[in-house]
């Protein structure tokens, strides 16, 4: 009887052990897709490594697509096919279509229940940008304004004072004219004063600075409003940088070598970009550079640039996906990504730390990104905003290169986008 009892206990324990082994689950896998240059990729690899070291029951599969355009196309295709990554980075301007299609998991409840972060830690404008129907859809990773990157050596060589924090449109134009030069006297410009994309998004802050609006009704937009006087004046000033003053390249010159490349090689003195350009510009060794805030019109205004970590509604393990997003947006995670130079952290304490305000790396005037946050505005929240912005930009660009007048561009932009406003889903 003793033998039978011992054997019985042994068999029971053996069965329980085998059952536990059989039922043991493999680590959850979270797919994560990003875009960016080599420095950004390295930062995301470090982020994933730090996360998996701290939480070994979740693995993260990282997919990197260098080109932002290719990334957006791939993401749209994957969502349409029902096979999106569990976690992806989306700009707030582009979440509308995904939200309207029910393709994103609302993250507000996760954020409110989190012990690792709270809504109060973020710059409010970032959470508002990702809010749809009073629900936070994605967790903002970064916050940036449009700024002017400038070549300090070219300013010194031309005897032009570096941009002040309160410089104006007139100050900017005067500097750009002085820095636009035909060095060898052959009638061709060898050095441009400035470079800026001729798009609706780049135009936006100048419209607001002149007291205008992009749309007819900010609360319930139904059409573009570039035909209205303040916006029309800003559009005219913007396009005349190229058509009248020739301080930026014309279409032929831009297509032969884009303005960002010209800035990097030292033949464009100023270039308008968000914080995103910093990792690339830090590789410049031929000259010194820094940043300045946007030149001001009748009032100050900037346009928000912000990407957020979004979770696909189809994510197989939402708890695991959230745990990764939570870590990525913790102070530790944001510090890792800030080290690449790519981001202005959306968590206020990290943005105010040396992780971002490192005095040993360029730009020296990084605090400008923080000092101008109160001036930031967002574009309208519409499911079709990407189509509106893209179509409107086509007409702005044509006016920028002198192919149509600013008045014609404003009218055509309004007419061509009316259908997208009618089709739009709004919060």
């Amino acid at each position: 009887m003793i033998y039978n009892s011992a054997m019985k206990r042994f068999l029971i324990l053996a069965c329980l052990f085998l059952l536990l082994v059989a039922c043991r689950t493999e680590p959850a896998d979270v797919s994560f897709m990003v875009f960016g240059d080599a420095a950004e990729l390295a930062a995301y690899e470090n982020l994933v490594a730090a996360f998996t070291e701290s939480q070994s029951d979740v693995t993260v599969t990282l997919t990197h697509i260098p080109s932002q355009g290719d990334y957006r196309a791939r993401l749209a295709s994957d969502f349409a096919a029902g096979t999106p990554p569990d976690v992806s980075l989306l700009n707030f301007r582009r979440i509308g279509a995904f939200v309207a299609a029910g393709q994103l998991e609302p993250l507000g409840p996760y954020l409110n229940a989190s012990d690792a972060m709270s809504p109060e830690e973020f710059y409010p404008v970032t959470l508002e940008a990702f809010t749809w129907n009073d629900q936070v859809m994605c967790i903002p990773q970064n916050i940036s304004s449009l700024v002017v990157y400038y070549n300090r050596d070219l300013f010194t060589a031309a005897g032009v004072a570096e941009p002040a924090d309160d410089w104006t449109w007139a100050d900017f134009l005067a500097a750009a004219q002085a820095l636009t030069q035909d060095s060898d006297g052959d009638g061709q410009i060898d050095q441009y004063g400035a470079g800026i994309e001729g798009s609706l998004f780049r135009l936006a802050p100048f419209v607001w600075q002149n007291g205008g609006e992009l749309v007819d009704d900010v609360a319930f937009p139904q059409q573009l409003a570039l035909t209205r006087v303040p916006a029309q004046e800003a559009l005219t000033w913007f396009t005349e940088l190229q058509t009248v003053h020739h301080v930026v390249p014309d279409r032929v010159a831009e297509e032969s070598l884009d303005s960002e490349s010209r800035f990097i090689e030292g033949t464009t003195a100023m270039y308008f970009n968000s914080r995103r350009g910093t990792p690339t510009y830090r590789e410049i060794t031929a000259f010194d550079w820094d940043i300045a805030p946007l030149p001001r019109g009748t009032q100050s205004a900037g346009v928000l640039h912000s990407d957020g970590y979004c979770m696909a509604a189809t994510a197989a393990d939402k708890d695991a996906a959230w745990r990764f997003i939570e870590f990525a947006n913790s102070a530790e995670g944001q510090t890792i990504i800030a080290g690449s130079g790519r981001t202005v952290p959306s968590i206020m304490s990290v943005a105010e730390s040396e992780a971002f305000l490192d005095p040993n790396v360029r730009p020296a005037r990084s605090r400008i990104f923080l000092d101008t946050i109160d001036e930031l505005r967002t574009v309208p929240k519409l499911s079709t905003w990407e189509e509106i912005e893209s179509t409107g930009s086509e007409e702005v660009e044509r006016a920028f290169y002198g192919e149509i007048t600013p008045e014609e561009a404003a009218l055509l932009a309004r007419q061509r986008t009316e259908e997208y406003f009618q089709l739009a889903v709004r919060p």
Side-chain angles (χ1 to χ4, degrees), residues 30 58 106 126 139 155 182 195 204 211 217 229 237 253 259 267 284 288 307 326 376:
V30 174
V58 180
T126 60
I139 307 300
F155 270 73
D182 172 13
D217 184 335
V229 173
W237 178 85
S259 286
T267 57
I284 296 171
D288 191 16
D307 305 300
E326 186 177 48
L376 296 179

Side-chain angles (χ1 to χ4, degrees), residues 237-250:
W237 178 85
F238 183 75
T239 58
E240 285 184 350
L241 295 175
Q242 196 288 123
T243 59
V244 174
H245 304 296
H246 309 296
V247 296
V248 298
D250 61 19

Side-chain angles (χ1 to χ4, degrees), residues 129-274:
F130 285 100
T131 297
W132 192 277
N133 286 335
D134 299 322
Q135 186 68 268
V136 175
M137 299 304 301
C138 306
I139 307 300
Q141 179 215 55
N142 57 68
I143 178 173
S144 178
S145 53
L146 182 65
V147 298
V148 180
Y149 290 83
Y150 66 94
N151 184 320
R152 302 182 83 169
D153 293 358
L154 293 183
F155 270 73
T156 299
V160 177
E162 293 185 28
D165 287 347
D166 60 351
W167 67 331
T168 65
W169 288 8
D171 296 331
F172 163 74
L173 180 56
Q177 288 173 318
L179 290 159
T180 299
Q181 298 176 6
D182 172 13
S183 304
D184 54 15
D186 65 354
Q188 300 294 319
I189 296 175
D190 304 301
Q191 175 183 297
Y192 286 95
I196 187 170
E197 181 184 85
S199 68
L200 185 63
F201 192 55
R202 287 290 185 260
L203 169 67
F206 300 107
V207 170
W208 296 327
Q209 288 182 6
N210 203 46
E213 296 290 348
L214 293 182
V215 292
D216 59 335
D217 184 335
V218 175
F220 194 84
Q222 299 186 66
Q223 62 180 10
L224 290 177
L226 299 182
T227 54
R228 297 183 178 179
V229 173
Q232 184 74 76
E233 289 176 347
L235 175 59
T236 298
W237 178 85
F238 183 75
T239 58
E240 285 184 350
L241 295 175
Q242 196 288 123
T243 59
V244 174
H245 304 296
H246 309 296
V247 296
V248 298
D250 61 19
R251 186 185 289 278
V252 172
E254 185 71 22
E255 290 179 350
S256 67
L257 186 66
D258 65 86
S259 286
E260 184 171 30
S261 297
R262 290 176 188 272
F263 177 76
I264 293 169
E265 72 169 19
T267 57
T268 285
M270 295 180 281
Y271 184 66
F272 289 75
N273 202 355
S274 67

Side-chain angles (χ1 to χ4, degrees), residues 1-11:
M1 292 294 293
I2 294 175
Y3 172 77
N4 288 341
S5 176
M7 281 297 294
K8 191 176 293 184
R9 284 197 300 272
F10 172 78
L11 291 172

Side-chain angles (χ1 to χ4, degrees), residues 331 335 338 345 347-359 367 370:
T335 296
I347 292 180
M348 291 181 276
S349 61
V350 182
E352 289 286 351
S353 74
E354 194 169 299
F356 175 66
L357 297 173
D358 186 344
R367 177 161 285 281
L370 307 185

